Amino acid sequence: MSAMSGPPHIPGDFPAAATDAPSSFSRSQRSLWAAVHARKSEYTVPRRIRIKVGSWNVAALKDTEKDLGRWFVGGKDEVAERRSLAGFHVEKLHGKEDSARVPAGSSDGGDHQQESTGNDRSKTITTPGAEETSSSSSSSSSDETTTTTGRIYVLGLQEVVDISSATEALRPYTDPGPAQRWKRALLAALPAGYEVVAEQQLMGLLVLVAADASVAGGISSVSTTSVGTGLFGYMGNKGAVAVRMVLGASTKLVFVNCHLAAGSEKTSLERRNWDAAQILLRTRFEPIQAELGMPEGAAEGIGDEDCAWWFGDLNYRLEGLPGDDVRRLLMLHTRGEYGAGRRLEERVKSGGGAEDVGHIELRDEEVGPDLSLDTAATNSSGTVGNGDSTNSTTAEQDADITSDPVSLNTTISSLLTHDQLYKQQAARKAFHDGWREGPINFLPTYKYDVGSVDVFDSSDKKRGPSWCDRILFRTQEDKQDSERRVKEEGERRKSGEGSKVDGSKNASKEEDEEGLIFEYDPETDGADDMNDHNNSALSGQKPFTRQKSDDDKLRLEAYTSHQGTVSSDHKPLVGLFTISYDAAVPELKEKIYREVAREFDKAENEERPGVTIVVEHAHDESHSEPEPEDVSQEPADVESIMFGRVRYREEKIRTCTVANTGRVLASFTFTPESPDKTAKGAGLPTWLSLQHDGIESEHGERTQNTGVDDPITIQPGDAVNFTLRLRVDTIDLVRALNEGTKKLEHVLVLSVQGGRDYFIPTKGIWMLSCFGRSLEELNRIPAGGVRALQQQQQGSEAHLRNKAESRGSAPRELFRLTEAIESLVERTVAGWGMTEPAAEQGSIQAPWELHTGWPFDKDSSWSGQGGDNRRLPVHEALDTDQPACSLFAASLPAHERLCITAEVLLDFLAGLRDGIVTAAMWAEIDEKVKKTPPATTTTAAAEEEQRFCIFEILSSSPVHNVSFVFLISMLARVIAEITSSCKHGKEMDREPSSPSETPSAAVGGKVTVVRKHLVDAYAAIFAEVLFRGALPAREKERRAAMQRRRLVVELFLKGRLEAE
């Protein structure tokens, strides 16, 4: 299954586009990865391992996996590590066990030892001579300071299922059975300690990568994918499977196993090139993950790696030559009937012995006998031998096979000039961008009769032999060299040096012609168009290859086919490589990473907008005592804005300054502290407000008292001041704070556009209040007031509501308020003339003359002067169980104290949880009042009976009953005090037209008239705050219900006044 992210795709599916990088990936992260990679030399050490790449088209034949141990893992026979081939002598063992497959005396043990499966599956091949390739000396000349340790096996298979089957082609999923079968065969053939680190299957294509324990632990960021290029350019009957891995966390390796379009026609050739281009275009691997889990780059493709291998059934053919003639010519060589091959055979028969001449033994001196990934040992004469000095021959005895015009090597070289892959590389149509291939010194790998070593296709189709199976490789340097060469050629053409380029091409062509020793003989081979084929062969150009050097990070040690494996119509192909890479030391890499990250942060911060926040240090009573334990102390970016002790209706003000200390404009907003915040703008709680003092515009103008919903932009070096106001003025919030369900804590989030977010905690200490409670709770407050509960343990509020016993008949807070109002009314009325000299002359009217509802009317002259903070002394006195007026300033006049205390009383009554008359009580009283006849027809006895019925209902709750009596008594005394002053006041000129008008204009000057208007006014005011219970929704019914409440208050006020 592909390791690409997202849902599993069907075989051959188009992979995600290269732009599908993780959303969290940014340009700065890519630059960070590049900067760390640039310092790779500081955290890596050199290391070298062997990689063995095998490719085989198994033609969907059964039991082919049984040969895997012989040709791929065991591989110590005369074919497994052969580097060159001058000629073949094939000895078919009929019924004999293949003793040469693993040489006698081999110390491989049971791990690599493979049993023969019979004469129909494997043949023994001996070589009359062997010759080292250009890479043979790399083993002895390699850098001795770097030890070769570790092994990786890469197996690429094609047609593990029948790709010609419509069922397989249209299957919406990949059958995992063949992959599991080959995986088991590979692990069974490998020594203990190997594990499969990557696998990917696409229909008939399968790639397996196995590594030993010393290497597997250093492999990371493994990603596999597949690309289908078959039917409709999409299906998986053709295409590729690919693996990307990071070796040692520093070197990226890519392995591509492909099966390109078949056929020898020109359209098939073009389709093969298209397949290869699609694989390059559509192969995408997952981003490499760094140690910290952050992607180091975007999705990668082929070309981003350090080393790559592209292998498989590429299906490129020999063109321009009749297949029958090529087949017949190669058969002559394999049977020893052609030129030097026959002479070598005779020499073998004369006494040299096929086994002595052709047997190749691999020495395992460096890494031990358990693996066969070491290069072949070479003797002093440069030939490949078994280490026995008797096998060495002199230069006079052994002719140079490659100089023999009739040798197999010469024949192979001549045939390769007609190889389509070479031609397409030279024409830069496919595999031209740095891809290399080892020297081909082995027979074509396709197509053979199954079960035969040397019999090419004898079916009716008689397909021509070709090197369809190939192993290509390149490094990043190869790719860059190729790109540089193409660029240089383009520049030469543009600069008018085209003639020099043409001359170079002609010279290259002449060299190729001189090196073409094989000539096609039409009389012998049966062709009629010798000249055409020869011209076609001569016209091919060799692809550009980079010169090999001893310091190459990727070196080819051996490249050969396994002619003795006969269970498929293809011969397996093996390439043995040594790769030098830089193994990362995790500790050193982490150190470099942190250094680079710090440098990036410093550089980036200098270019990012940044601000500095300065918080006001308030000096008030709140800082003289420690905060309660429940006030959280989370870490923040700036110092917390502390409002100190917060009381009901008290406004606390703090300021902070935001200065642009960066080098660029800073634009910022205040955002909600959490994404689920529903408030607008900055998402401030109801008890907190935020404003700034204005920003100077480009024209020098300055906005004033502006909110913070819109972005604020300040120039570098400028600053803006913010004012924060905290005020608790709603009863619902007071109750929540009293109960502890809410706290005065909020985090302001200042988001700088293009920069970071700053978190500014704001905190206040709520002081418990007597407001917002029920009469029952108030009646249970201990001595010392509600503040006595402030320092008690949590749960004191619940204890107050449920368990505490009542300490009186009515709350002390209500008693203190009514007592203070009675006293202040008396003082104000009695001393009005003395405290206000102008009143003596009639230039200033008394407040009760101006407002009938004084001192409870909201329109009273001194009502509300100074704001809510004027009420705080009364609040504090009630909360601390002191007389209501004891905390007023001594200079405050009595009439102002009275108005403030009266407002507090109304606020106190409005905030009672159940009111003076509860909703249940009012429901009963309302029913009684509805049955009462109009007031004009009501007698004194009837009114007394009504009062008795209402008292009976109120008596169900003594605290409510007593509290109601307190209030009625206080109002009656106030009315009596005011009416008594009217006996000595001015004559009343007329009847008031409304309760809000003064009774001073009433006709007759009778005290009863004044009293009536005071009763009406007070009843209207207190009907709003004494009763609880929902009112009707319809306006007419609502007015009627309010009128009934006023009648109840009037009824009791009249009764109280009559009693006095």
Side-chain angles (χ1 to χ4, degrees), residues 467-484:
W467 283 274
C468 292
D469 306 279
R470 312 291 274 268
I471 298 178
L472 308 179
F473 60 97
R474 75 177 180 190
T475 63
Q476 188 61 224
E477 289 76 11
D478 294 332
K479 180 174 179 290
Q480 294 172 358
D481 286 349
S482 175
E483 293 171 349
R484 182 170 56 252

Side-chain angles (χ1 to χ4, degrees), residues 508-523:
S508 176
K509 181 176 180 180
E510 291 174 2
E511 292 175 0
D512 291 346
E513 291 176 351
E514 291 176 0
L516 184 59
I517 301 176
F518 168 74
E519 292 185 359
Y520 179 61
D521 185 359
E523 296 180 358

